[in-house]
Amino acid sequence: MNYRVPEPVPQVILDDVRGAQKMLSGVSRVTAMEGSRHLSALTGSPVHFKCENLQRTGSFKLRGAYVRIAGLRPEQRAAGVVAASAGNHAQGVALASSLLGVRSTVFMPVGAPLPKVAATEEYGAQVRLHGQVVDETLAAAQEHADRTGAVFIHPFDHRDIIAGQGTVGLEILEQCPEVRTILVGIGGGGLAAGIAVAVKALRPDVKVIGVQAAGAAAYPPSLKAGHPVSIDDPATMADGIKVGRPGDVPFRIIGELLDDVRTVSEDALSSALLLCLERAKLVVEPAGCSPVAALLSEPERYGGGPVVAVLSGGNIDPLLLQRILRHGMAAAGRYLSLRLRVTDRPGALAGLLGVLSTVDANVLDVSHVRTDPRLGLTEVEVELHLETKGPEHCAQVARTLHAAGYPVTG
């Protein structure tokens, strides 16, 4: 992505974050801090969730958007604001603008989930659908700003945005003063940079670690190069951190203050989302689950004291949630798909299902194939999709079928 950034790159300091905290009083929520017994047992250290998924608009984005728009001069407010986003930033800008009495236009990709489009409109923004990818949407928003004089509200590459997001860090230190490690997802870097500014100024001993999806990890090569670099075609289910190039302003801060940036797989993200839903009863979007995915992937790294994982958002399209839950259950060994051959005679399928009932495997789907040339004249191939209790249960199902004379072919 090509962003217009002022030169030189401005700094953000603790006083900026404290000023933002005063400005946000009565506007943003001081979100809850919830403990996770499962992750605490897994890591050997107390693990807490900072629940920004319960923030107004469903993510931390309101904080930065409100601070940015509140800082505009009267003539800038009169011209209105414009933003480009696939979801969370859009809703943050829409609500912040409505609260401040500023007209807002938000460009969203043509394929943006309908619930996010509807929510942005309900918060008061005029939504325009443009482009298939965020780059095209961003270009359209910038063109609108140039043509109309509206102020472009960048999702992460501005000092006011970073100061607003940094209030999350102040709240963490107030709610969990014994914290030793903070894990936070990184896309463009605004949230991680803001938290790092606040936390490192007050508690330099606390580690702040960024987490990126492996398929959209622009920060590791950028940090190695010493400047922001773009990656081609970032790919991840975590659209909230699917950013191809770090922001210039947050990159400088992250390069100076963050202790590490780690990456997580898509399987880890889906497993983390499932864990948040099942164990913590929290709906969290894939980007918001990235710190949990890091804990699940390498729990042994986080045994040195209390850990806070920032759940940055909870806005997820129900259809995507359904697909991710299936993927997460499969990654956790909770689904088993297999093919086997049985004799094509009445009662054969009932006998097979009877065997499965003895090991408490729940059958989700059954299909028959009779026309494959590899099958014998009296054979039928049965494909089964089962819900299981985990990898050990999967192995037990396979052993039981083999013992009962049902060879598994795939």
Side-chain angles (χ1 to χ4, degrees):
M1 299 183 184
N2 296 315
Y3 299 124
R4 301 181 183 183
V5 182
E7 294 291 348
V9 176
Q11 291 184 328
V12 184
I13 61 175
L14 178 61
D15 285 346
D16 297 323
V17 182
R18 283 177 165 160
Q21 187 175 47
K22 292 179 181 178
M23 190 179 295
L24 288 167
S25 177
V27 176
S28 64
R29 294 172 180 157
V30 177
T31 51
M33 186 82 75
E34 298 288 343
S36 171
R37 286 183 293 178
H38 177 77
L39 288 174
S40 297
L42 195 64
T43 62
S45 293
V47 174
H48 307 278
F49 294 151
K50 176 60 173 168
C51 299
E52 283 296 290
N53 59 310
L54 303 180
Q55 183 58 260
R56 296 179 70 178
T57 75
S59 86
F60 69 95
K61 290 288 190 177
L62 171 64
R63 297 173 184 262
Y66 188 91
V67 173
R68 173 76 173 99
I69 297 169
L72 297 178
R73 300 187 303 274
E75 63 272 21
Q76 291 177 311
R77 292 195 188 193
V81 300
V82 61
S85 168
N88 288 346
H89 181 60
Q91 293 173 65
V93 168
L95 178 57
S97 299
S98 294
L99 293 173
L100 291 164
V102 177
R103 184 177 70 258
S104 64
T105 302
V106 175
F107 285 78
M108 304 181 76
V110 172
L114 292 178
K116 293 185 178 182
V117 174
T120 304
E121 291 177 330
E122 289 173 8
Y123 285 128
Q126 180 186 24
V127 173
R128 298 187 183 182
L129 301 179
H130 185 94
Q132 299 298 322
V133 295
V134 175
D135 278 349
E136 297 172 357
T137 308
L138 187 66
Q142 187 68 64
E143 187 277 331
H144 176 88
D146 293 341
R147 178 170 47 83
T148 65
V151 179
F152 180 66
I153 307 299
H154 198 283
F156 50 80
D157 218 358
H158 193 279
R159 65 191 309 270
D160 290 344
I161 295 287
I162 293 171
Q165 321 306 28
T167 59
V168 176
L170 295 179
E171 290 178 16
I172 290 173
L173 295 183
E174 293 166 1
Q175 294 170 306
C176 186
E178 68 279 12
V179 63
R180 300 295 300 172
T181 303
I182 297 172
L183 290 167
V184 55
I186 301 184
L191 177 61
I195 289 175
V197 167
V199 170
K200 290 297 187 177
L202 296 170
R203 288 280 307 280
D205 59 303
V206 174
K207 290 183 178 180
V208 181
I209 297 173
V211 184
Q212 290 206 288
Y219 264 91
S222 297
L223 292 169
K224 185 176 180 179
H227 59 84
V229 297
S230 299
I231 59 171
D232 295 328
D233 300 320
T236 176
M237 70 177 76
D239 58 350
I241 53 175
K242 187 180 177 181
V243 178
R245 181 188 185 277
D248 290 75
V249 183
F251 176 80
R252 174 176 176 173
I253 297 168
I254 286 172
E256 292 177 356
L257 298 181
L258 242 65
D259 293 277
D260 198 3
V261 176
R262 293 172 187 163
T263 60
V264 293
S265 68
E266 299 296 286
D267 280 353
L269 286 168
S270 58
S271 295
L273 188 149
L274 184 62
L275 182 143
C276 288
L277 190 61
E278 285 192 321
R279 298 298 184 97
K281 314 307 178 201
L282 292 169
V283 177
V284 187
E285 63 188 272
C289 286
S290 56
V292 179
L295 288 167
L296 288 175
S297 299
E298 299 179 292
E300 68 281 355
R301 282 182 174 265
Y302 305 100
V307 179
V308 172
V310 181
L311 308 183
S312 57
N315 293 317
I316 182 169
D317 178 41
L319 295 177
L320 177 61
L321 176 62
Q322 185 180 42
R323 293 198 298 270
I324 292 174
L325 287 176
R326 286 199 301 265
H327 183 80
M329 291 183 73
R334 301 272 295 279
Y335 283 145
L336 176 61
S337 297
L338 48 84
R339 295 189 305 275
L340 44 82
R341 295 178 184 181
V342 299
T343 303
D344 191 8
R345 59 176 176 77
L349 181 59
L352 171 61
L353 298 180
V355 171
L356 292 172
S357 70
T358 65
V359 288
D360 200 25
N362 186 33
V363 179
L364 300 175
D365 190 31
V366 180
S367 63
H368 294 74
V369 176
R370 288 188 169 87
T371 57
D372 193 314
R374 294 171 298 177
L375 295 173
L377 182 64
T378 61
E379 286 183 321
V380 59
E381 186 174 74
V382 178
E383 183 173 350
L384 295 167
H385 298 274
L386 309 175
E387 182 182 1
T388 65
K389 300 173 184 177
E392 292 183 5
H393 192 204
C394 289
Q396 181 189 5
V397 171
R399 289 194 301 268
T400 301
L401 288 172
H402 182 76
Y406 293 100
V408 176
T409 60

